[in-house]
């Protein structure tokens, strides 16, 4: 009964591998590297499925080639999966290294096959252990994410494969009983566990991989929604999402939050004179200059066409003015040249306000933005290229 169970488990694992391959092929990604990784992972599951499904033939006239494919398929599938898993995460692995591992696996299994079934069983257990450890080493940087649960679960699955393979190798080495067609020389009482493990593991791995891909796509979508495509700064939506957290942290540290509204001076004239393409270059370079001047905890958003909004935790009200002046001078230092090579001076007007210590972060943010916008209007009216304060807290 246990023999039937383990054979059934291996066959189910083969079917699960083919299903996982189909899931990989049905998945879609707009990233060519990720799409390539999905295809490679599909090939890995096909190889694994071809190997495990040979369990159906190990008692018939094709027992010898079936046993050989059963031994080699899961190991090669593991290695190919490791290569594809790295591609899915945007890393192009060293192809020579992975090909060398695959060739060594073929040589190991072929040599053991020539020495008989017991040697083949030892080689399979040792190969599963060694190459699952290789998989863990090269994929582990992608399995430690604190944000994607499926990555951690897949890491546990790989560690489980290593543990099961180690125990299987030890039990195979000490086994003294008759030859077994399925090459699993473990106590009879444990065969049900191996049947369950090999039956569930391939499809579970495929589902985990799809969950990881969905999480990455969700992260990319969030980044796309929250980031201005041209300047790579936060979009207005992104600012609204991240601002409450910044304000709350500043209040815990008993710090003020400076709100700076920045507007490029005479930007319409620049667009009209030098063209919109150069205008885009100006916006990108100004955003980059502002990011270089701001510390990591500050938020910078492209708030409108040529308007930027910065939220900056500060110790005192005087720091608000110092930071704003530093940003104004940084923009003025930009050395940009127009399409004909002529130097173009870029200046910015800045309106400043402060966020008070109230409990309603969103309404206070709106009020601070309105005050900063009024201060910006005053700066424009007074001649541009200047900082204007409105530190009243309503």
């Amino acid at each position: 009964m246990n023999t039937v169970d383990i054979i059934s488990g291996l066959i189910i694992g083969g079917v699960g591998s083919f299903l996982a391959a189909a899931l990989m092929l049905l998945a879609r990604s707009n990233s060519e590297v990720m799409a390539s990784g999905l295809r490679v992972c599909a090939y890995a599951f096909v190889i694994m499925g071809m190997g495990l499904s040979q369990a159906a033939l190990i008692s018939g006239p094709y027992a010898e080639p079936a046993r050989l494919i059963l031994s080699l398929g899961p190991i090669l599938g593991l290695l190919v999966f490791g290569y594809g898993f790295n591609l899915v995460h945007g890393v192009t692995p060293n192809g020579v290294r992975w090909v060398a591992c695959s060739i060594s696996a073929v040589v190991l299994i072929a040599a053991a096959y020539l020495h008989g079934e017991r040697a083949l069983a030892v080689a399979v257990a040792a190969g599963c252990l060694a190459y699952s450890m290789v998989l863990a080493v090269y994929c582990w940087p992608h399995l430690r994410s604190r944000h994607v649960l499926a990555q951690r679960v897949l890491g546990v699955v790989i560690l489980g494969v290593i543990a099961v393979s180690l125990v299987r190798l030890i039990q195979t080495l000490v086994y003294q009983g008759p030859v077994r067609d399925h090459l699993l020389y473990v106590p009879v009482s444990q065969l049900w566990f191996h049947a369950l493990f090999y039956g569930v593991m391939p499809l579970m791995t495929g589902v985990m991989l799809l969950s990881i891909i969905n999480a990455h796509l969700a992260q990319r979508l969030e980044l796309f929604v929250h980031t201005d495509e041209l300047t790579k700064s936060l979009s207005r939506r992104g600012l609204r999402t991240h601002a409450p957290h910044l304000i709350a942290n500043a209040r815990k540290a008993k710090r003020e939050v400076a709100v700076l509204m920045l507007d490029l001076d005479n930007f319409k004239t620049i667009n009209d004179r030098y063209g919109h393409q150069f205008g885009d270059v100006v916006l990108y370079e100004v955003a980059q200059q502002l990011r270089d001047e701001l510390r990591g905890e500050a938020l910078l958003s492209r708030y409108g066409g040529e308007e930027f909004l910065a939220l900056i935790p500060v110790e005192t009200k005087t720091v608000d003015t110092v930071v704003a002046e530093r940003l104004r001078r940084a923009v003025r230092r930009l050395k940009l040249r127009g399409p004909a090579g002529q130097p173009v001076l870029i200046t910015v007007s800045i309106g400043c306000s402060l966020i008070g210590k109230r409990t309603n972060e969103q309404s206070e943010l709106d009020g601070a933005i309105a005050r900063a916008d009024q201060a910006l209007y005053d700066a424009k009216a007074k001649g541009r290229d200047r900082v204007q304060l409105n530190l009243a807290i309503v």
Side-chain angles (χ1 to χ4, degrees):
M1 181 62 181
N2 281 299
T3 300
V4 174
D5 287 342
I6 188 60
I7 297 297
S8 300
L10 293 173
I11 295 172
I12 291 172
V15 173
S17 297
F18 290 130
L19 289 175
L23 291 175
M24 298 300 105
L25 293 174
L26 289 173
R28 291 291 180 265
S29 172
N30 56 2
S31 166
E32 183 55 38
V33 176
M34 183 178 287
S36 176
L38 284 169
R39 288 193 296 270
V40 173
C41 288
Y43 301 150
F45 283 118
V46 169
I47 294 170
M48 198 176 298
M50 290 178 63
L52 293 174
S53 60
Q54 297 303 307
L57 304 175
I58 59 175
S59 298
Y62 302 104
E64 291 303 316
R67 191 174 293 111
L68 181 61
I69 299 173
L70 174 63
S71 303
L72 188 57
I75 295 176
L76 287 180
L78 274 175
L79 291 171
V80 176
F81 177 81
Y83 188 90
F85 188 75
N86 278 278
L87 283 177
V88 165
H89 286 81
V91 177
T92 302
N94 186 324
V96 175
R97 182 180 298 157
W98 288 92
V99 170
C101 286
S102 299
I103 292 175
S104 67
V106 173
V107 171
L108 171 68
I109 298 301
Y113 178 77
L114 296 176
H115 284 80
E117 292 187 1
R118 292 297 299 274
L120 182 60
V122 172
V124 170
C128 287
L129 174 62
Y131 295 113
S132 58
M133 291 176 68
V134 170
L135 176 66
V137 168
Y138 286 106
C139 296
W140 200 251
H142 310 305
L143 298 171
R144 297 181 300 173
S145 171
R146 297 180 179 180
H147 307 292
V148 182
L149 176 61
Q151 286 182 275
R152 300 200 299 273
V153 172
L154 186 55
V156 171
V157 170
I158 293 175
L159 292 177
V161 173
I162 293 173
V164 169
S165 299
L166 176 61
V167 173
R168 177 180 174 181
L169 175 60
I170 294 172
Q171 291 176 331
T172 301
L173 289 172
V174 301
Y175 180 78
Q176 299 295 327
V179 171
R180 294 178 178 176
D181 291 337
H182 50 68
L183 302 177
L184 274 162
Y185 291 99
V186 299
V188 173
S189 60
Q190 296 179 14
L191 284 175
W192 68 269
F193 169 79
H194 288 270
L196 181 63
F197 182 80
Y198 292 113
V200 171
M201 187 266 294
L203 186 56
M204 179 181 178
T205 302
V207 171
M208 288 299 103
L209 182 57
L210 285 183
S211 297
I212 290 170
I213 291 169
N214 285 337
H216 284 301
L217 291 177
Q219 290 172 352
R220 289 189 180 187
L221 179 61
E222 181 179 3
L223 182 64
F224 177 79
V225 170
H226 289 171
T227 304
D228 177 64
E229 183 178 6
L230 174 60
T231 64
K232 310 306 178 188
S233 305
L234 288 173
S235 63
R236 183 180 293 204
R237 180 193 294 267
L239 179 78
R240 294 286 180 179
T241 299
H242 294 286
H245 182 68
L246 179 140
I247 296 170
N249 285 344
R251 284 175 173 164
K252 288 178 183 177
K254 302 186 184 306
R255 300 165 73 187
E256 305 282 354
V257 176
V259 179
L260 275 57
M261 183 74 78
L262 308 93
D263 186 84
L264 300 187
D265 296 325
N266 302 310
F267 186 71
K268 184 178 184 305
T269 302
I270 293 173
N271 267 336
D272 293 341
R273 182 176 300 174
Y274 303 110
H276 290 278
Q277 187 172 3
F278 180 73
D280 288 347
V281 172
V282 171
L283 288 171
Y284 176 80
E285 292 295 337
V286 168
Q288 185 61 48
Q289 190 82 335
L290 294 174
R291 278 194 295 270
D292 290 343
E293 291 293 326
L294 293 171
R295 55 193 177 195
E297 58 188 338
L299 298 179
L300 178 67
S301 164
R302 184 184 178 192
Y303 205 68
E306 67 269 21
E307 284 187 336
F308 292 89
L309 184 69
L311 300 184
I312 310 165
V314 293
E315 302 294 341
T316 63
K317 295 181 180 180
T318 56
V319 177
D320 184 10
T321 308
V322 172
V323 173
E325 279 291 344
R326 190 177 77 238
L327 295 179
R328 185 190 67 81
R329 291 194 298 268
V331 172
R332 215 176 196 282
R333 287 197 305 269
L334 275 174
K335 299 183 183 302
L336 298 181
R337 293 189 175 275
Q342 67 275 42
V344 179
L345 176 65
I346 307 298
T347 63
V348 65
S349 299
I350 304 177
C352 306
S353 68
L354 285 174
I355 291 182
K357 298 178 180 179
R358 294 187 178 181
T359 56
N360 190 334
E361 289 92 349
Q362 194 59 59
S363 64
E364 180 56 20
L365 175 62
D366 292 337
I369 291 174
R371 295 192 298 276
D373 193 47
Q374 181 59 50
L376 173 62
Y377 179 82
D378 295 340
K380 293 284 189 181
K382 292 179 180 180
R384 299 184 175 88
D385 189 22
R386 64 180 61 237
V387 173
Q388 185 68 34
L389 305 181
N390 184 347
L391 301 183
I393 299 177
V394 180

